[in-house]
């Protein structure tokens, strides 16, 4: 029988949305609800900068300990694993503090890393401390997406040529990162060759950073497949379309997909989300900590999703194609740099 790991959640979530939906989705509530159903993890504390957020979350989920200071939590009640559900700009500094304090496993929310400069730092930190990190791109565990990947890898629509998706009302990162990561998943995590990105950036600021009003990303995998993501608007009537040399897959609302080939058409329908999808990243982390292999949500692979996300913004910033691996020492969220460049333009 596996031991029960003690977990702390950093960034428990705003209790209610303020203004529009881009003002916080309180993912900390989903983690607490799902972890309550895990036989392997016990959530023992929460950390947040806001006392009100902590109090309401602790009462709702019956979590005994709450801390306004990360350092205090690490000093008084060191957990086996932590979840980081704060905004992208705080991920690396929290990861570093937690790893140096002796925590061996971290689940980090997406978007993973704030800047190209954090990459090198994260790799050194992992080498130095041995900390194991998974990123919560949990859609890789969604049954429909797993079935689509199986069909693609089995040649069900021939050679995949173009994967496209729109994200109505959201950016390339807070939501779009899921599609970027899924397109990598569908391509068996093939390496990326290049990316073109463009953004329309005005005054939007949320999740602790500047967000584009509208953006597009077009990129190529080394296997020849291309990806196209519209961050801001839907692309036609389907959530996602995958074109292959011998067929097409149209995905609707994450729970239903239609496959069209010369042989005919087929409908795939699965349950979208349940505890199994949300707990799989946490349990994959524990399996890895207990001697199993690094999961595809592990940092080694997830650095490449982060690189794609940042590469699209670097292309928008420099007005040029970005070739992978990216070479940049930028030390802030690229959309912050783009916003500053726009406001200083004559
Ligand atoms: N995996 C998913 O499907 C999914 C869904 C929603 C949100 N997210 C991600 O989760 C992150 C949080 O989003 P949210 O919607 O829950 O936001 P939110 O505003 O509801 O919650 C964030 C919480 O973090 C706290 N916080 C901020 N900085 C902190 C710090 N340095 N230390 C401790 N606490 C801090 C805030 O006070 C707040 O309570 C974002 O990066 C978002 O992209 C992921």
């Amino acid at each position: 029988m596996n031991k029960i790991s003690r977990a702390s959640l950093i960034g428990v979530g705003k209790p209610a949305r303020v203004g529009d939906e881009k003002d916080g989705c309180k993912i900390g509530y989903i983690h607490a609800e799902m972890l309550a159903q895990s036989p392997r993890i016990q959530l023992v504390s929460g950390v947040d900068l806001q006392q009100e957020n902590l109090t309401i979350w602790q009462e709702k989920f019956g979590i005994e300990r709450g801390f306004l200071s990360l350092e205090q939590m690490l000093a008084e009640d060191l957990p086996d694993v932590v979840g980081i559900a704060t905004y992208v700009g705080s991920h690396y500094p929290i990861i570093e503090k937690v790893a140096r304090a002796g925590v061996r496993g971290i689940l980090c929310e997406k978007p993973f890393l704030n800047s190209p400069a954090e990459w090198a730092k994260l790799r050194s930190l992992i080498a130095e401390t041995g900390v194991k990190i998974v990123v919560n791109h949990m859609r890789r565990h969604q049954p429909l997406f797993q079935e689509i990947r199986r069909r693609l890898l089995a040649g069900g629509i021939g050679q995949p040529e173009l994967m496209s998706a729109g994200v109505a009302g959201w950016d390339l990162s807070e939501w779009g990162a899921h599609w970027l990561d899924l397109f990598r998943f569908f391509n068996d995590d093939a390496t990326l060759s290049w990316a073109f990105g463009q953004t329309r950036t005005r005054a939007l600021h949320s999740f602790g950073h500047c967000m584009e009003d509208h953006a597009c990303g077009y990129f190529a995998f080394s296997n020849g497949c291309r990806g196209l993501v519209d961050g801001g608007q839907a692309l036609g009537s389907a959530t996602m379309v995958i074109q292959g040399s011998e067929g097409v897959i149209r995905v609707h609302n994450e729970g239903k997909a239609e496959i069209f080939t010369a042989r005919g058409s087929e409908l795939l329908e699965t349950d979208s989300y349940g505890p199994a999808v949300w707990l799989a990243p946490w349990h994959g982390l524990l399996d890895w900590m207990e001697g199993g292999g690094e999961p595809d949500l592990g940092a080694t692979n997830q650095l490449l999703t982060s690189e794609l996300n940042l590469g699209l913004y670097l292309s928008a910033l420099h007005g040029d194609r970005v070739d992978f691996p990216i070479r940049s020492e930028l030390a802030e969220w690229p959309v912050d740099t783009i916003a500053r460049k726009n406001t200083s333009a004559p």
Side-chain angles (χ1 to χ4, degrees), residues 129-253:
T129 63
V131 65
K132 294 183 165 53
I133 307 169
V134 298
V135 178
N136 194 32
H137 281 126
M138 76 296 166
R139 283 181 164 80
R140 286 180 181 241
H141 291 281
Q142 211 258 38
L144 180 71
F145 294 138
Q146 293 192 329
E147 182 59 22
I148 289 173
R149 179 176 186 269
R150 269 192 291 277
R151 301 295 184 105
L152 290 171
L153 297 186
I157 59 164
Q159 168 64 36
E161 292 172 342
L162 177 65
M163 301 183 177
S164 58
V167 198
W170 282 90
D171 64 342
L172 286 181
S173 304
E174 294 299 336
W175 176 277
H178 283 297
W179 284 175
L180 300 179
D181 188 61
L182 266 187
F183 287 179
R184 293 197 56 245
F185 182 58
F186 290 158
N187 278 288
D188 206 17
D189 291 317
T191 54
L192 283 144
S193 302
W194 49 257
F196 282 106
Q198 184 57 280
T199 76
R200 179 189 167 95
T201 306
R202 296 293 186 265
L204 190 56
H205 194 276
S206 206
F207 295 93
H209 56 77
C210 289
M211 286 169 79
E212 71 272 14
D213 298 301
H214 194 181
C216 58
Y218 180 54
F219 46 94
F221 289 91
S222 53
N223 63 11
C225 184
R226 305 274 165 94
L228 176 65
V229 176
D230 185 324
Q233 297 183 4
L235 269 180
S237 58
T239 306
M240 184 181 285
V241 178
I242 303 170
Q243 288 170 227
S245 56
E246 295 167 25
V248 174
I249 301 177
R250 290 170 63 83
V251 181
H252 303 275
N253 299 325

Side-chain angles (χ1 to χ4, degrees), residues 7-244:
S8 180
L9 189 69
I10 304 164
V12 302
K14 292 195 191 98
R17 289 179 178 174
V18 186
D20 75 9
E21 62 179 342
K22 286 201 256 332
D23 210 359
C25 303
K26 54 176 183 179
I27 190 71
Y29 281 57
I30 295 183
H31 284 302
E33 190 185 329
M34 296 300 155
L35 287 174
Q37 300 174 59
S38 168
R40 299 175 64 186
I41 304 178
Q42 186 189 1
L43 195 50
V44 295
S45 70
V47 180
D48 205 285
L49 299 178
Q50 305 295 330
Q51 182 63 62
E52 186 196 7
N53 296 3
L54 259 184
T55 306
I56 296 174
W57 179 83
Q58 280 181 262
E59 279 172 8
K60 182 169 173 66
F61 297 105
I63 310 293
E64 208 172 303
R65 305 204 68 181
F67 298 90
L68 286 170
S69 148
L70 175 60
E71 289 76 6
Q72 193 188 350
M73 182 276 283
L74 294 169
E76 286 185 18
D77 198 12
L78 192 73
D80 300 307
V81 291
V82 302
I84 302 177
T86 60
Y87 314 133
V88 63
S90 58
H91 290 172
Y92 180 79
I94 292 175
I95 289 171
E96 182 166 357
K97 277 185 195 160
V98 160
R100 292 199 189 288
V103 175
R104 299 274 63 92
I106 298 172
L107 177 140
C108 184
E109 270 304 339
K110 38 56 59 178
F112 185 25
L113 292 177
N114 198 47
S115 71
E118 282 184 347
W119 269 48
K121 289 205 279 185
L122 186 81
R123 275 199 294 262
S124 306
L125 184 76
I126 290 172
E128 190 189 325
T129 63
V131 65
K132 294 183 165 53
I133 307 169
V134 298
V135 178
N136 194 32
H137 281 126
M138 76 296 166
R139 283 181 164 80
R140 286 180 181 241
H141 291 281
Q142 211 258 38
L144 180 71
F145 294 138
Q146 293 192 329
E147 182 59 22
I148 289 173
R149 179 176 186 269
R150 269 192 291 277
R151 301 295 184 105
L152 290 171
L153 297 186
I157 59 164
Q159 168 64 36
E161 292 172 342
L162 177 65
M163 301 183 177
S164 58
V167 198
W170 282 90
D171 64 342
L172 286 181
S173 304
E174 294 299 336
W175 176 277
H178 283 297
W179 284 175
L180 300 179
D181 188 61
L182 266 187
F183 287 179
R184 293 197 56 245
F185 182 58
F186 290 158
N187 278 288
D188 206 17
D189 291 317
T191 54
L192 283 144
S193 302
W194 49 257
F196 282 106
Q198 184 57 280
T199 76
R200 179 189 167 95
T201 306
R202 296 293 186 265
L204 190 56
H205 194 276
S206 206
F207 295 93
H209 56 77
C210 289
M211 286 169 79
E212 71 272 14
D213 298 301
H214 194 181
C216 58
Y218 180 54
F219 46 94
F221 289 91
S222 53
N223 63 11
C225 184
R226 305 274 165 94
L228 176 65
V229 176
D230 185 324
Q233 297 183 4
L235 269 180
S237 58
T239 306
M240 184 181 285
V241 178
I242 303 170
Q243 288 170 227

